[in-house]
Amino acid sequence: MSTDEKQPADTPKVTVDSVREWLIQTTRLFAKFSIILLIIGSALVLSFALDLPLYVSYSLVLLIAAVLFIMLIMVSIKNIVYLYLKTSIWGQIVLYLLIALISARAYLWAIGEVNRIFLVDPSNLALTTSVLTGIIFFKYAIMALLGSYLIAIGLYFYIRYANKTAINKTAINNRQPLGKKMFSGSAFVIVVSMNLIAAGNISKYSDVMIQVFAINIDFYSHYTCTGDDFDNSDGVLFLSASDILVAKETAPLTFEFKKVKCEP
């Protein structure tokens, strides 16, 4: 049986032309998203400069995340690096290991944050842990996307120089336009970096965001326990039959979490 017969008929063939075409299309897409991200990022920096309410900054960060998510889906559909790796067993192993590594890293980070902030077993805050895992996985996915773009550039030059006889005059004449488009891609990477730096300015409030989120999805507002510790509480978390974690807002965006016994 020949090599061609072993390969499925629909297996995509990664050539210098296909890589080049993907780079051009992706760079155009990056250029469009860079304009949107530049506008939102500028608004985020302006919100810091004008000392606007914190919810404005949060909203802008969520908007940046939404734009990046849409971009991630659009670029991932026909990612040339993914198609290249999928054509071989070793490439598929690399993909599976990468996904497993990112997932494990995201989960470990999530349980570590929950344990640090609430000082309880993360299993008691299952929804919060799951959401945090998804958030950090998304962050790594964006990093992997940008990395795949840079890898595709290297892949293009590798295939081009490894198969010089396959490069025709048309491909040679197209080098300059591709080089110009790479400038737009570089500009996009810079814009994304600027947005991440701007969003990082509110990282000191990340604990508060996690606390508020956990209180709303994992804590309970209905309980039969009585006592001073439960007066004006924002929610309770049942750790065991008698141990309760009570959340109270002691000041704006400042919460206190206290383990107490339930007194019916």
Side-chain angles (χ1 to χ4, degrees):
M1 182 179 293
S2 64
T3 304
D4 294 336
E5 292 175 341
K6 292 180 181 179
Q7 299 228 354
D10 58 347
T11 299
K13 184 179 181 181
V14 180
T15 63
V16 64
D17 291 330
S18 64
V19 175
R20 181 180 181 280
E21 185 63 27
W22 183 82
L23 281 172
I24 292 175
Q25 294 178 358
T26 302
T27 302
R28 288 173 178 169
L29 189 63
F30 280 173
K32 295 177 182 178
F33 275 102
S34 65
I35 296 174
I36 300 174
L37 290 172
L38 183 60
I39 294 173
I40 302 174
S42 299
L44 181 60
V45 173
L46 186 62
S47 71
F48 296 143
L50 298 178
D51 198 21
L52 296 179
L54 193 58
Y55 69 84
V56 176
S57 300
Y58 286 161
S59 299
L60 290 172
V61 170
L62 290 175
L63 188 56
I64 291 174
V67 172
L68 289 174
F69 178 76
I70 295 172
M71 181 200 68
L72 177 65
I73 297 300
M74 294 180 67
V75 177
S76 298
I77 292 175
K78 295 182 179 181
N79 191 297
I80 199 69
V81 176
Y82 168 74
L83 295 177
Y84 179 75
L85 292 175
K86 197 176 69 169
T87 56
S88 67
I89 296 298
W90 288 110
Q92 294 177 29
I93 293 175
V94 170
L95 287 173
Y96 293 142
L97 289 177
L98 180 62
I99 294 175
L101 180 62
I102 292 177
S103 300
R105 180 66 184 88
Y107 178 71
L108 290 175
W109 177 86
I111 62 176
E113 286 296 287
V114 170
N115 183 267
R116 178 182 63 82
I117 295 172
F118 300 98
L119 298 178
V120 298
D121 189 332
S123 63
N124 292 297
L125 295 158
L127 292 178
T128 301
T129 302
S130 298
V131 170
L132 290 179
T133 300
I135 290 174
I136 199 65
F137 185 90
F138 172 69
K139 174 184 176 181
Y140 288 142
I142 292 295
M143 294 170 62
L145 174 65
L146 296 178
S148 70
Y149 178 73
L150 298 177
I151 292 173
I153 295 176
L155 183 63
Y156 168 75
F157 287 106
Y158 169 75
I159 296 177
R160 184 159 70 91
Y161 286 110
N163 302 275
K164 290 183 179 180
T165 56
I167 305 301
N168 53 34
K169 185 177 180 180
T170 302
I172 294 176
N173 292 334
N174 284 330
R175 288 181 187 174
Q176 185 61 29
L178 179 60
K180 291 181 178 179
K181 294 180 184 303
M182 290 302 98
F183 176 79
S184 299
S186 301
F188 170 80
V189 174
I190 294 174
V191 170
V192 170
S193 300
M194 291 172 60
N195 276 272
L196 293 177
I197 292 173
N201 287 336
I202 65 170
S203 60
K204 59 183 178 180
Y205 299 110
S206 60
D207 288 1
V208 176
M209 296 177 69
I210 295 174
Q211 289 170 357
V212 172
F213 190 80
I215 290 172
N216 282 279
I217 66 171
D218 274 317
F219 280 67
Y220 296 90
S221 57
H222 301 288
Y223 48 87
T224 58
C225 305
T226 58
D228 295 338
D229 292 322
F230 295 92
D231 293 340
N232 301 318
S233 67
D234 291 284
V236 301
L237 184 67
F238 296 93
L239 304 177
S240 64
S242 59
D243 291 331
I244 308 292
L245 183 66
V246 180
K248 283 188 179 182
E249 188 173 13
T250 57
L253 296 178
T254 302
F255 294 90
E256 177 187 61
F257 296 90
K258 186 177 181 181
K259 293 181 182 179
V260 300
K261 296 292 184 181
C262 181
E263 298 178 4

